[in-house]
């Protein structure tokens, strides 16, 4: 199974065997474009011929609400959804088109991050905006990082010895993009990202939520265009905008230790918004069975996890977390007997795409 994960600034290709092992892979730190066919050809020359290709697609739009095999009709709907996630969907479609051309007759599957949140309760889904905006423009909360959440939920359930349908957890996906999700009895019931992947928590170089009145003020009083604002919020904000030097929490932890006030501010704002998002998600649960961290920062940055949990005592969480290397069980990093376990799950979006694609093939 060939899995393609094309993002706003990277391309990851992997060929999985039937046992889930990676047989070949390709990583690039730039978004795919015209070079997508070349990257695919190189990997295909090194790997067994795939029986299908699964594509991670960030946004399915209002009409694609389940993972699906791609034909011309689905491809047309994907084009319509592209402007809802303009940093993410166009690169993914470039890879999808290249794979369809290079591998004619090989099934192609679109696996959407929005599917995990497709059945959000109305109270969490709807924005308090005019009815015409919701009905005519489809303005609603979609939610993202769903493939990551699906993988993390199943792994956390295994670690905690309970079925996903019996768990109420908050999962925090912290990476280049950041969000949190409330999962009640195996289903997403709230999430911090909304209509686009820009809402919610502070991210590496995305702002997260900003007062909409501030944005219209920048337009009307300072003459910034919609393109100016969109570009700044997506590329020049977040940790990078706060620190002025880096969007990487590892760099910022080192800079803070060396006395950088801006690095300290960036980390303080970032962890504050993480705590606020996690607490907001917990409000959609009847109880909190565990807090689950995933994503590159969630998995690899112990300082961030510690600063988040140590100041969430109102939810029953505490600091004193162990690193996975020091824990008796590398995935559960809270102290033994902790009221609320803290779990770390390595990111598994590609593995989840592999799984979903195989399910689609069996059902077709």
């Amino acid at each position: 199974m060939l899995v393609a994960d094309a993002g706003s600034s990277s391309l990851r290709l992997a060929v999985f065997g039937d046992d889930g092992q990676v047989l070949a892979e390709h990583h690039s730190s730039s978004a795919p474009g015209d070079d997508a066919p070349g990257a695919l050809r190189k990997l295909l020359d090194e790997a067994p011929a795939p029986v299908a290709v699964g594509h991670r697609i960030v946004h399915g739009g209002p009409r694609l609400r389940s993972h699906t095999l791609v034909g011309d009709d689905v491809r047309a709907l994907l084009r319509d959804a592209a402007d809802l996630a303009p940093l993410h969907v166009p690169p993914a479609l470039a890879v999808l088109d290249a794979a369809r051309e290079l591998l004619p007759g090989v099934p192609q599957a679109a696996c959407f991050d929005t599917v995990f949140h497709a059945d959000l309760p109305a109270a969490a889904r709807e924005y308090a905006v005019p009815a015409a905006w919701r009905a005519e423009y489809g303005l609603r909360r979609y939610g993202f990082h769903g493939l990551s959440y699906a993988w993390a939920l199943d792994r956390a359930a295994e670690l905690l010895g309970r079925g996903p349908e019996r768990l109420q957890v908050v999962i925090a996906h912290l990476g280049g993009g950041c969000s949190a999700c409330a999962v009640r009895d195996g289903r997403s019931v709230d999430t911090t990202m909304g209509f686009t992947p820009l809402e919610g928590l502070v991210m590496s170089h995305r702002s997260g939520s900003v007062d909409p009145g501030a944005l219209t003020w920048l337009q009307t009083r300072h003459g910034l265009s919609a393109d100016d604002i969109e570009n700044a919020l997506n590329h020049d904000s977040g940790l990078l905008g706060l620190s002025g030097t880096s969007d990487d929490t590892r760099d910022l932890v080192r800079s803070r230790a060396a006395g950088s006030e801006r690095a300290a501010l960036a980390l303080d704002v970032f962890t504050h918004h993480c705590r606020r998002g996690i607490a907001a998600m917990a409000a959609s649960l009847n109880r909190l069975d565990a807090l689950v961290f995933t994503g590159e920062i969630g998995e690899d940055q112990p300082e961030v996890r510690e600063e988040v949990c140590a100041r969430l005592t109102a939810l029953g969480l505490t600091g004193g977390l162990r690193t996975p290397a020091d824990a008796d069980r590398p995935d559960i990093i809270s102290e033994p007997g902790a009221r609320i376990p803290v779990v770390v799950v390595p990111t598994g979006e590609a593995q989840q795409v592999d799984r979903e694609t195989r399910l689609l093939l069996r059902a077709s």
Side-chain angles (χ1 to χ4, degrees):
M1 191 71 63
L2 172 58
V3 171
D5 182 355
S8 59
S9 59
S10 64
L11 171 62
R12 297 182 179 182
L13 304 171
V15 176
F16 287 89
D18 291 341
D19 58 358
Q21 294 298 308
V22 176
L23 305 179
E25 58 186 335
H26 164 85
H27 289 179
S28 171
S29 58
S30 59
D34 294 339
D35 60 340
L40 282 167
R41 283 193 195 96
K42 186 175 185 300
L43 185 69
L44 293 170
D45 287 343
E46 302 169 355
V51 298
V53 185
H55 299 266
R56 179 194 173 206
I57 309 289
V58 165
H59 209 314
R63 298 179 62 183
L64 294 169
R65 296 170 51 83
S66 59
H67 309 306
T68 183
L69 296 176
V70 178
D72 291 342
D73 54 342
V74 170
R75 179 61 182 83
L77 293 173
L78 288 170
R79 181 183 61 246
D80 294 340
D83 64 348
L84 298 177
L87 298 182
H88 298 84
V89 174
L93 296 185
V95 177
L96 172 63
D97 292 341
R100 294 181 76 194
E101 183 175 345
L102 288 172
L103 297 166
V106 173
Q108 310 277 329
C111 300
F112 302 104
D113 275 307
T114 45
V115 165
F116 190 72
H117 311 289
D119 296 320
L120 279 175
R125 182 185 69 236
E126 299 296 336
Y127 288 112
V129 296
W133 293 11
R134 291 180 277 122
E136 295 177 26
Y137 307 142
L139 199 65
R140 52 156 290 182
R141 185 178 301 280
Y142 285 99
F144 302 94
H145 291 136
L147 294 162
S148 174
Y149 288 137
W151 180 262
L153 175 62
D154 284 349
R155 300 289 80 71
E158 291 176 8
L159 291 167
L160 298 170
R162 299 166 67 177
E165 72 284 352
R166 297 176 54 225
L167 280 178
Q168 299 201 30
V169 298
V170 172
I171 308 176
H173 177 106
L174 306 180
C178 300
S179 68
C181 177
V183 178
R184 185 170 64 222
D185 303 331
R187 302 175 70 87
S188 171
V189 293
D190 203 356
T191 187
T192 56
M193 277 184 171
F195 183 68
T196 74
L198 186 57
E199 188 181 4
L201 309 184
V202 171
M203 305 175 221
S204 292
H205 46 79
R206 278 177 266 166
S207 63
S209 294
V210 177
D211 180 354
L215 305 182
T216 57
W217 178 79
L218 288 171
Q219 289 180 302
T220 58
R221 295 290 294 275
H222 294 278
L224 272 66
S225 69
D227 286 345
D228 292 335
I229 292 173
E230 185 172 32
N231 184 67
L233 295 181
N234 277 297
H235 298 289
D236 302 323
S237 299
L239 290 169
L240 178 62
L242 288 163
S243 71
T245 56
S246 177
D247 65 358
D248 190 320
T249 55
R250 294 167 297 186
D251 294 337
L252 297 175
V253 166
R254 288 190 290 266
S255 296
R256 180 177 63 181
S260 169
E261 293 183 1
R262 289 191 66 177
L265 173 66
L267 289 168
D268 284 348
V269 172
F270 180 79
T271 55
H272 172 78
H273 281 256
C274 287
R275 290 191 296 271
R276 187 161 67 179
I278 290 167
M281 295 302 99
S284 290
L285 304 178
N286 304 117
R287 63 180 189 275
L288 183 60
D289 293 328
L291 172 62
V292 182
F293 286 102
T294 190
E296 295 171 346
I297 298 173
E299 180 182 350
D300 295 331
Q301 195 71 66
E303 295 88 351
V304 168
R305 295 193 302 259
E306 180 68 23
E307 290 173 32
V308 168
C309 292
R311 297 178 64 182
L312 277 175
T313 53
L315 297 184
L317 291 155
T318 60
L321 302 177
R322 299 168 293 174
T323 64
D326 296 331
D328 297 331
R329 296 179 60 182
D331 310 285
I332 300 179
I333 60 171
S334 47
E335 291 293 333
R339 177 183 164 196
I340 307 296
V342 179
V343 179
V344 173
V345 175
T347 306
E349 288 159 318
Q351 293 92 327
Q352 189 67 26
V353 172
D354 174 50
R355 171 193 285 183
E356 299 292 354
T357 303
R358 290 176 190 274
L359 290 173
L360 283 172
L361 288 180
R362 286 199 288 269
S364 65

